[in-house]
Amino acid sequence: MWNGNDRRELLVRLKATLSIQTSMSLTTIPLIEYFLVLADDDIRIKGTRIGIEHILYEYIHNAKSPEEIAQIFPTVSLEQVYATILYYLQNSTAIGQYLSDWLDYTLKAETAQDQDPTIQRLKHLKLNPVAV
């Protein structure tokens, strides 16, 4: 987890990264332009199939740096990673709930899959291969 100084440094780096130089003037891209909101429970990084939950999971739960996250997801630029983290930091309550809902859904889906008889049979066959 990041401490207060790390967060302040990250915000400074995010603001610098999210600004682009165009024709001798500095233009800031609105943060929402980095995302595609398909539904209340499906926010993706524009131009990718990656949901913000995957980036934020690495950042929050695995304590990965933005640079490490960009290496994990090669279709996501470092700028997009910073934008996702900044979006989370600016909307921590709503995005925190979004992540909580995503984790709950994921756990329920994994539990349902584990109880599926076909999946159980496949796992059994994997552990106990039958000689042909």
Side-chain angles (χ1 to χ4, degrees):
M1 211 45 146
W2 298 77
N3 66 34
N5 290 334
D6 290 338
R7 287 187 186 276
R8 280 189 287 283
E9 179 184 332
L10 180 61
L11 284 172
V12 169
R13 289 172 60 195
L14 285 169
K15 287 179 183 177
T17 302
L18 296 178
S19 298
I20 58 172
Q21 189 75 30
T22 58
S23 309
M24 305 293 268
S25 66
L26 195 58
T27 304
T28 303
I29 299 171
L31 195 56
I32 196 65
E33 293 298 317
Y34 287 91
F35 308 105
L36 180 60
V37 180
L38 299 175
D40 289 342
D41 61 350
D42 192 4
I43 304 172
R44 306 226 179 144
I45 298 170
K46 260 189 192 166
T48 75
R49 296 177 69 187
I50 307 295
I52 64 169
E53 62 274 9
H54 299 288
I55 302 298
L56 295 174
Y57 186 83
E58 293 298 330
Y59 175 70
I60 297 166
H61 295 286
N62 292 335
K64 300 281 186 185
S65 71
E67 291 77 12
E68 291 172 313
I69 295 168
Q71 290 177 351
I72 294 169
F73 299 98
T75 61
V76 178
S77 71
L78 183 58
E79 182 177 347
Q80 290 171 314
V81 173
Y82 277 119
T84 304
I85 295 168
L86 182 59
Y87 186 64
Y88 163 70
L89 294 174
Q90 288 182 345
N91 303 286
S92 59
T93 302
I95 300 302
Q97 185 61 51
Y98 175 90
L99 291 173
S100 178
D101 293 346
W102 173 71
L103 287 170
D104 288 345
Y105 170 80
T106 302
L107 290 173
K108 287 177 186 173
E110 286 176 357
T111 300
Q113 183 177 5
D114 286 343
Q115 294 172 352
D116 184 304
T118 304
I119 299 297
Q120 289 177 353
R121 183 170 182 272
L122 290 172
K123 285 181 179 180
H124 176 75
L125 289 172
K126 184 178 179 180
L127 294 173
N128 304 301
V130 178
V132 181

